[in-house]
Amino acid sequence: MNKLACKCFYFLGLTLVPILGFAQNKDSNTTVKDSISDNLIIVNDSLDNQISTTAPINRIGNLANTPKEKLVLFKPTESSSYNLEDNELAAKFDSLWMKELVEAAPLFDEMYQEVMELDTISDFVLDLPTDTLKMRLARLNEKTPFNIEYNASLESVIKSFLTRKRDLMERMLTISQFYFPLFEQQLDNHDIPLEMKYLSIVESALNPKARSRVGATGLWQFMYGTGREMKLNINSYVDERSDPIKSTEAACNYLNRLYRIYNDWDLALAAYNSGPGNVNKAIRRSGGQRNYWNIRRNLPRETAGYVPAFQATMYIFEYAEEHGLKTKRAERAFFETDTIHVKSLITFDQISELTGIDKEELKILNPSYKLDVIPFVKGKTHALRLPVHKMGKFVANEEAIYAHVEEELKSKESPLAEITKQAEQNSIRYRVRDGDFLGKIAERYGVGVSQLKQWNGLRSNNLRIGQRLTIYPRKNGAIAVKPRETPARSSVASSSKTHEVRSGDSLWTISRKYPGVSIENLRKWNGISGNNLKLGTKLKLCDCSS
């Protein structure tokens, strides 16, 4: 009897499958089962069944009582109103991944300083025999158009990265999973060696908001003039040098232009960093030689450390497993996002409120918007990038969202009012004078040292006489500040007078720990000529006898 019942159900099922399939196609509805909550979510995905413009969706009601992750999708009838809930496990992964990207942003300072003061002389203790390194570099040279040859300087840089900068390299291995698929696609489209993706690590440590001391910005570190030359939009709201896709496209075009000049990728890299003029001077001063390592001594200091850092990064990424470098698995790559053109000015706060997406995540995905506002300009397109699984919330409620935004912007409590006020606030240009330091200037104008550094793209506390600073003052700096007994710029804010060198310390990292202390100070006070530090050494932190 049981066998007979089973057979009946089996044939009944075969009969119903095509009927159910026809019904599904006819209604054009997609049914998705949430693996966490086991709730059935029905989404209308038909182009023929557009939502009527006469339906009551022109505004979002009582958002304060609507949970961020349970935004109601308004449909023409009460019976077709549904909640779209996110997959909790996927949301958790995204949250952790975004946290990783946010925390990686400060790594640009470390990489930038490393290239500026690249140590190609010191001996680093590492289990990497020279013969093994030579063999691996030869293998790299065989599969890449870059001229990778063993030399003692490159060996020193590789070992430095694997010892002193090991944590930095592991973080780059993790973050690269987010950006590298995008870079590789663009590089392949422009017929550029895929290894060029490592350039973004040396340039910006994969921080799209990175800004150097001279104003170069973005993943590929374009100066303002070069960015405009490469057709990147730069204004008060938008800086496309920070847009991952548009800046990568511009970088590919620029690199191809340089390669057409030199027909050599190493020289193209050097020219990308210092400009063709400096490379041409170095070639002349080297007697017409064209091998990068032969003209390196005649290049600017930063460029001299640039190609070695690039080749060392390439080696480490290619042989990360052999050196036991640990990396976290990225749960989402850049291509698992999507964009939509905005039809009205909208702020990140509003997007976050309406869709439940964390504001920090919005900043990571949309780094080109300087004021956390996506503008709307007639005749131009500005896109909002969201995770694929979050895009539905925005698209399904687009009209309601824009109606809410318009209503909110008209109110006195508009979130844009404060942003606009800050953006249009009168700023001053301050000229650094002898005896000035960041703390003194910050106190004079009622601002923070961190704000001064952010406004002016400063990566250290060092200032030079005559330097111009942009300041948004909170009080009148012309008011005389009562003189007080303050230490000179070269003194230390804390009571410490010495610092004991520990593993991972460098002159730069030590100078950052003590306000008012520069690398030059440390060298002068301790009789140091290079960058080498011995563990356990006690360094003076002031111009004192003890």
Side-chain angles (χ1 to χ4, degrees), residues 32 86 89 126 180 184 220 223 231 286 347 368 395 511:
V32 183
D86 194 8
L89 184 60
L126 181 71
F180 274 11
E184 289 170 352
W220 302 96
M223 294 293 289
K231 310 301 182 185
S286 304
T347 70
S368 61
V395 174
S511 69

Side-chain angles (χ1 to χ4, degrees), residues 38-62:
D38 287 333
N39 293 326
L40 287 177
I41 302 169
I42 302 175
V43 184
N44 191 308
D45 195 33
S46 172
L47 294 177
D48 298 323
N49 299 329
Q50 297 291 336
I51 298 173
S52 172
T53 55
T54 60
I57 62 169
N58 60 337
R59 66 176 60 190
I60 297 177
N62 196 9

